[in-house]
Amino acid sequence: SIKRVCLEMKERMMGLWTLVVVMVGLVGCTGAVGLGIEVGRGSGAKQTDGVYVQRQDHFDPVNNATFQQQLTVDAEYYGGSGSPVFVFLGGEAPLGVFEFQEAFIRESLVPQFGALYVALEHRYFGKSIPVESLTTDNLRYLTIAQALEDAATVIQAVREEFVGSGPTVVFGCSYSANLAAWFKLKYPELAIGAVAASPPLEAKLNFTEFYGWFEHAAVQFDGCSGRIREGVAEVSEMMKTESGRAQLAVTFNLCNSLAADGRDDYRFKHTIMNKVGISPQWESPPGFQLTHTCAIMTNESYSPVEALAEAVEYSQNFDPEEGLARGERCNEWSQDAYIGALRITTLDVPTIGRAWMWLKCTTFGYFQTSYPGTSVFFDDLGLQPLLDDCAAIYDIPGMVPDVEGTNAKYEGNQLDAKNVLITNGYYDPWHTLSIYNKKKASVQTSVYQAAHCAPFDAAFDSDPWSLRHTRQVIANTIEGWLA
């Protein structure tokens, strides 16, 4: 336990940027300073939590506004001059949410290479908010380009503070894996390599493959997909009658009845599809969510509709550490509640939903749809209602994400950047937007029999051989970059 907390704030002017770091847990608190020290192995330096005073807009020379971007620095294993710097780029959540996806980096790679470890929170998430509210106009600073420049300025600051530090390797998981790969593409002089775990590199408007992959991932579970089809068909029939709709509200533990005018129908069906259909994304040790979901779906003590409801409850209470469903609550799935929550602009509620939806509605798409023949789920969940949601959330009529522009600027799944290692799990539906099981002259890949970002998770005895192999590929690749 930390017996004493030492605080020292050091400001160092770097043009328009200021670095402010709070050191926590230094042995004896002697000489505790900000990043302006060179920490040797065994010095006793532990995790550092602090902020980087970042520009609100990197591309407007007359805008001098700044905000405090959260970061973590861990120098416990740092070997000093010449040792590498490993930078984990945060994604669409507060930095602490990703700790389980940093485990392999921090617990294995950092000690192995004697690296300085830095984790950077993404602007607009957690405490790293560059504006006073999330009005639509204020979201204009939430772009890929701004996020990449954030990373570039922090890496440059770390280099200046840790004089003599070695090459930088950037890491990311999921969306932040995109950022890691794109950072190497756009700032090759600042990073020797990038490890991107499960990056959905291709921006796509109509992402039918997400739920379409379920049947492929679940092929080993006899009867699972068939029971989902039966349940979906029965739900669709029940929705045609007043009594059926009332029973569905009970079965799925809704807080309110489905609106008689049908305005909740799309959201209701899409939520069922999401809660069950997302399970392949988390078919990794120790939870194996798809395995549990299919066990529920094929349990014949439930009717197909009851099985869907049980699988939904399991999914939304899923604990990735334990693989258990916990807690009971009614489900607020109405369309009005969904849109209302995403229209909140104050900062006294978590910003994750509105900020991430902005990136989807402006930049990525990733809209998960289902048409006849595309999945085992409902066949009438098309694109337009999801685009209408964007317009309703941000008050921008006809809002459509510029996926073509994103792919043109960042190369999508045709990415060609030197020293980029991309890992993907077979079960993970996001791999269909990534570079999967193929090589280019500059981009390396490694595929394993698990799911989303699994190589970055802590190791478990139940890890398949292919997942352990991918972790070894990561270590060997970094060793080659640093040689």
Side-chain angles (χ1 to χ4, degrees), residues 202-211 266-267 270 273 338 342 356-371 381-391 393-394 399-403 430 433:
E202 180 186 0
K204 190 166 188 177
L205 197 60
N206 212 351
F207 187 18
T208 58
E209 293 88 348
F210 188 87
Y211 296 119
Y266 186 102
R267 182 59 45 200
H270 200 280
M273 180 170 71
Y338 175 76
L342 291 173
W356 175 238
M357 185 62 74
W358 174 260
L359 286 171
K360 291 179 64 177
C361 290
T362 60
T363 307
F364 295 119
Y366 295 158
F367 296 123
Q368 297 156 6
T369 54
S370 185
Y371 299 88
L381 299 179
L383 176 64
Q384 191 56 52
L386 300 177
L387 295 178
D388 293 341
D389 287 347
C390 290
I393 293 165
Y394 302 109
M399 190 177 191
V400 178
D402 182 16
V403 296
W430 291 101
L433 297 181

Side-chain angles (χ1 to χ4, degrees), residues 36 44 59 184 205 220 261 342 360 483:
F59 309 109
K184 190 66 181 73
L205 197 60
Q220 64 182 303
D261 63 5
L342 291 173
K360 291 179 64 177

Side-chain angles (χ1 to χ4, degrees), residues 13-254:
M13 296 308 297
M14 300 171 57
L16 292 174
W17 304 287
T18 305
L19 186 64
V20 181
V21 176
V22 177
M23 297 294 288
V24 179
L26 293 182
V27 174
C29 297
T30 301
V33 294
L35 288 179
I37 59 171
E38 187 170 299
V39 181
R41 185 186 300 276
S43 68
K46 302 293 183 181
Q47 178 169 311
T48 303
D49 296 311
V51 297
Y52 182 84
V53 179
Q54 189 70 265
R55 290 189 63 173
Q56 182 187 66
D57 188 342
H58 294 287
F59 309 109
D60 181 357
V62 300
N63 182 349
N64 293 324
T66 61
F67 70 99
Q68 293 188 344
Q69 188 166 23
Q70 304 294 308
L71 55 79
T72 293
V73 179
D74 190 340
E76 180 176 8
Y77 297 100
Y78 180 49
S81 182
S83 296
V85 179
F86 291 173
V87 179
F88 181 84
L89 302 179
E92 68 279 20
L95 195 57
V97 170
F98 298 104
E99 285 183 353
F100 76 98
Q101 293 169 344
E102 301 174 55
F104 172 64
I105 306 168
R106 298 191 70 167
E107 297 171 9
S108 181
L109 296 178
V110 167
Q112 178 180 345
F113 292 100
L116 176 71
Y117 182 75
V118 180
L120 182 65
E121 189 169 75
H122 195 296
R123 59 168 56 208
Y124 283 86
F125 297 99
K127 297 179 181 179
S128 302
I129 311 296
V131 290
E132 294 182 355
S133 68
L134 299 183
T135 63
T136 297
D137 185 59
N138 279 349
L139 289 167
R140 68 187 184 276
Y141 307 113
L142 178 52
T143 66
I144 299 170
Q146 297 282 4
L148 292 177
E149 188 66 19
D150 287 344
T153 58
V154 167
I155 288 173
Q156 289 170 322
V158 169
R159 283 185 171 183
E160 292 201 18
E161 293 288 341
F162 284 86
V163 177
S165 59
T168 298
V169 179
V170 292
F171 299 81
C173 158
S174 193
Y175 158 58
S176 81
N178 287 358
L179 295 178
W182 294 336
F183 189 85
K184 190 66 181 73
L185 175 70
K186 298 297 185 180
Y187 299 87
E189 74 284 0
L190 293 182
I192 198 170
V195 182
S198 303
L201 292 163
E202 180 186 0
K204 190 166 188 177
L205 197 60
N206 212 351
F207 187 18
T208 58
E209 293 88 348
F210 188 87
Y211 296 119
W213 187 250
F214 185 97
E215 189 168 14
H216 299 281
V219 67
Q220 64 182 303
F221 303 105
D222 291 342
C224 183
S225 293
R227 285 274 284 181
I228 289 174
R229 283 195 175 94
E230 291 175 24
V232 163
E234 289 184 22
V235 168
S236 296
E237 284 300 310
M238 293 174 71
M239 293 186 74
K240 295 177 182 178
T241 67
E242 184 177 346
S243 61
R245 294 168 73 86
Q247 182 57 52
L248 288 173
V250 174
T251 301
F252 286 90
N253 193 27
L254 302 187

